[in-house]
Amino acid sequence: MRRGSRDTELYERIIDLAIGVAEGRIDPFDVDVGKFLDRLSGLDIDPEFTDLLMLDVRALHGLVTILEAQSRRLRDRGYGLYLNRLLIRMAVEKLGVDELVNVLSASWRPIMELEYMDKDLLDEAFTYYLNLVDLALRSRLVPSFREVALDISAELFNEPIDLEVFVEGLKRELMEFSKGEFIDYFDFIYRGDSPVLRAYAISFLISDGWVDVKVDRLKKKIFIRPRSEKLVFKDPASVVVVLGHGEG
Amino acid sequence: MARDKFVKFSRLAYLLFFRRHGYPGCKDWELEKYLGRNYKEVIAEFNKYIEPLGLRVEEVEVEFGGESWRHYVVKPIYGSSLTDIKTSSLNQIDLAVLAVSLAYVLSSEGGVPKKEVVDVLARKFGKNRALISLGRLIRYGYLLERDDKLYTGLRTLLEIDVDKFGALLVGRLKASSETSGGG
């Protein structure tokens, strides 16, 4: 029983060759399949080493792929269909569009196929159309990305605030409002006048370990709870929260 | 017609006639699923009904994407006798682009760089026209694009006799060379 790195190298070499042949980088006839098969059959693998067994199977499959490419090439050459790129380039240059289309149509095997519009799909499309707001009106109803970005930046940065004081105040407010229990994140964010600023500030409390976060993915809810002691993170994670424009 | 037979025929007609995927017809496992294990018998019986209409269900052996299966499509028996009726959404330039692309794909073992094909096509049709046609052919499944390389699409394997295409292309080229050499 052997489990040497030389065996692994042989497997990887065969797999690389097979990939090279499949990608057209290596001529399939440059690979001596017989020699590699002999070497593979000479290996004795302990069935307990499943990683080596897997490599063995992949290498064998690779050799089959190379053999298949060789057989295809032989068949094409036998039929006189072996096309090299120069020949193709010449054909494209010399034969006109009409001639190329004639060649294609002579080898075409027409297939019948119908397109069918389902009544349910039509109803769905009609309902969608009826519910669709006019394009001109839509552009007024839905704020542009620029408008949203300006609103947020105005809320965050245009009014000079002492962020440290604001964060400290928010921490106290959370402690009083939640009474140390988990509460809905959005309920708390939208309590105040500037939800974006509150969300921005609370992200510091969470990052610093002063607030616990619990996400209920089934109910799509986020809960927060203040901590009396700062938590030191071992494996921090991030949560993306989307605040609706115009809410609050 | 017995009720059971009617149900199987209508299922088969829906599966074979209507476009449901990016490729025409259906695979053997689909027929087995909807018609049962004796689906070949159902097809043989179904053919008796559609052959008077000039149509026939045919089996095509397909090897594609590392898998092989039997594919079933409906083909006209006599070809189209209505030459003035446009039966495909591809135009002549699309077909020429397909012919050139297919020739290039067949000349390579593992796909051909799309840029190489576009460069050749651009000389004949202009880059934009070539790209539009190539995009349409990829969308219809005649060509497969992966990692900026073009490969034969499943629809091509079903609709085109690829061996015959290669032989004809080389034959026409030889004939063309002999004519120009003799002249």
Side-chain angles (χ1 to χ4, degrees):
Chain A
M1 301 272 176
R2 290 184 298 163
R3 193 180 181 237
S5 61
R6 286 181 63 191
D7 296 350
T8 312
E9 275 174 26
L10 174 65
Y11 290 137
E12 284 172 354
R13 166 98 181 110
I14 293 172
I15 293 164
D16 284 347
L17 282 171
I19 292 170
V21 168
E23 289 178 349
R25 288 184 283 108
I26 298 170
D27 188 323
F29 286 104
D30 286 346
V31 184
D32 189 342
V33 177
K35 188 186 82 183
F36 280 118
L37 269 177
D38 285 345
R39 289 182 66 184
L40 277 187
S41 57
L43 298 179
D44 189 10
I45 314 160
D46 187 336
E48 282 185 16
F49 294 127
T50 48
D51 51 342
L52 267 189
L53 266 180
M54 282 305 293
L55 275 177
D56 191 62
V57 171
R58 284 184 63 199
L60 199 61
H61 182 256
L63 285 179
V64 171
T65 315
I66 297 169
L67 263 179
E68 195 187 0
Q70 288 182 348
S71 124
R72 195 166 50 239
R73 175 76 65 81
L74 278 175
R75 188 198 62 190
D76 288 354
R77 279 183 175 163
Y79 288 149
L81 302 181
Y82 180 64
L83 308 171
N84 68 48
R85 292 202 180 183
L86 271 179
L87 207 62
I88 299 296
R89 208 169 276 266
M90 277 174 66
V92 174
E93 292 292 331
K94 286 195 85 170
L95 305 176
V97 172
D98 287 349
E99 192 76 3
L100 284 170
V101 173
N102 284 339
V103 169
L104 189 69
S105 68
S107 42
W108 201 279
R109 300 179 291 205
I111 283 175
M112 216 207 77
E113 191 180 24
L114 298 175
E115 281 198 49
Y116 168 68
M117 184 56 74
D118 193 58
K119 190 184 173 300
D120 290 344
L121 195 60
L122 274 175
D123 288 345
E124 203 177 301
F126 187 54
T127 311
Y128 171 74
Y129 173 77
L130 289 178
N131 292 334
L132 205 58
V133 181
D134 280 356
L135 197 61
L137 196 59
R138 239 185 299 162
S139 63
R140 267 180 273 153
L141 288 175
V142 181
S144 68
F145 177 76
R146 185 180 155 74
E147 285 170 327
V148 175
L150 280 174
D151 282 358
I152 292 172
S153 62
E155 193 176 320
L156 279 181
F157 306 113
N158 283 1
E159 294 170 21
I161 55 154
D162 186 334
L163 191 63
E164 209 169 316
V165 174
F166 186 82
V167 169
E168 203 54 43
L170 202 67
K171 191 172 143 192
R172 276 197 303 276
E173 183 190 332
L174 178 62
M175 190 61 90
E176 286 165 17
F177 181 68
S178 69
K179 297 183 177 65
E181 299 296 321
F182 274 108
I183 55 160
D184 189 283
Y185 170 82
F186 288 103
D187 284 350
F188 183 70
I189 292 300
Y190 286 111
R191 280 189 84 220
D193 292 333
S194 45
V196 177
L197 183 59
R198 290 166 71 83
Y200 181 61
I202 211 159
S203 68
F204 287 101
L205 289 173
I206 296 167
S207 305
D208 287 348
W210 288 110
V211 172
D212 287 333
V213 181
K214 193 168 74 175
V215 181
D216 187 334
R217 297 196 187 280
L218 287 177
K219 291 178 182 165
K220 294 181 179 171
K221 290 217 163 205
I222 303 170
F223 300 96
I224 50 174
R225 180 179 65 182
R227 293 183 65 86
S228 50
E229 283 180 23
K230 185 175 171 172
L231 177 74
V232 180
F233 292 108
K234 283 182 184 169
D235 189 15
S238 301
V239 177
V240 179
V241 179
V242 180
L243 299 180
H245 177 76
E247 290 176 45
Chain B
M1 192 189 295
R3 170 84 185 151
D4 183 46
K5 195 196 262 186
F6 174 77
V7 170
K8 285 192 174 177
F9 277 6
S10 58
R11 277 184 189 168
L12 183 59
Y14 271 64
L15 287 167
L16 289 170
F17 289 150
F18 297 123
R19 181 183 291 176
R20 300 167 303 122
H21 309 290
Y23 52 82
C26 59
K27 297 176 179 179
D28 47 5
W29 66 263
E30 289 179 293
L31 290 174
E32 195 171 327
K33 180 182 170 188
Y34 292 106
L35 303 177
R37 281 189 182 172
N38 64 341
Y39 66 88
K40 285 192 177 181
E41 291 168 26
V42 180
I43 289 174
E45 187 81 4
F46 186 68
N47 270 338
K48 289 180 192 166
Y49 286 86
I50 63 168
E51 276 177 1
L53 301 173
L55 301 169
R56 185 190 293 140
V57 181
E58 284 190 12
E59 181 186 299
V60 186
E61 289 283 341
V62 178
E63 281 182 41
F64 185 73
E67 288 178 55
S68 58
W69 68 89
R70 285 189 299 277
H71 203 100
Y72 292 86
V73 285
V74 179
K75 295 188 173 187
I77 300 171
Y78 315 109
S80 172
S81 55
L82 302 168
T83 51
D84 55 335
I85 289 189
K86 188 172 160 59
T87 52
S88 166
S89 48
L90 298 181
N91 60 32
Q92 203 194 23
I93 292 182
D94 293 333
L95 293 175
V97 167
L98 178 59
V100 175
S101 313
L102 193 55
Y104 267 76
V105 170
L106 291 179
S107 73
S108 63
E109 288 285 342
V112 62
K114 187 180 177 185
K115 188 181 177 306
E116 196 176 315
V117 179
V118 171
D119 287 347
V120 174
L121 292 170
R123 287 208 294 275
K124 288 268 181 187
F125 311 110
K127 192 173 178 182
N128 285 343
R129 191 68 193 82
L131 282 172
I132 289 170
S133 283
L134 271 181
R136 191 176 292 155
L137 293 167
I138 291 165
R139 204 164 59 248
Y140 287 168
Y142 286 105
L143 296 169
L144 180 71
E145 185 181 9
R146 194 176 290 158
D147 300 331
D148 295 327
K149 277 186 164 187
L150 294 176
Y151 300 83
T152 314
L154 177 56
R155 190 179 283 272
T156 290
L157 296 179
L158 293 170
E159 286 196 27
I160 297 163
D161 185 338
V162 174
D163 290 348
K164 189 176 175 183
F165 171 78
L168 282 173
L169 196 67
V170 175
R172 296 284 170 98
L173 183 65
K174 279 181 185 165
S176 161
S177 304
E178 282 163 11
T179 312
S180 56

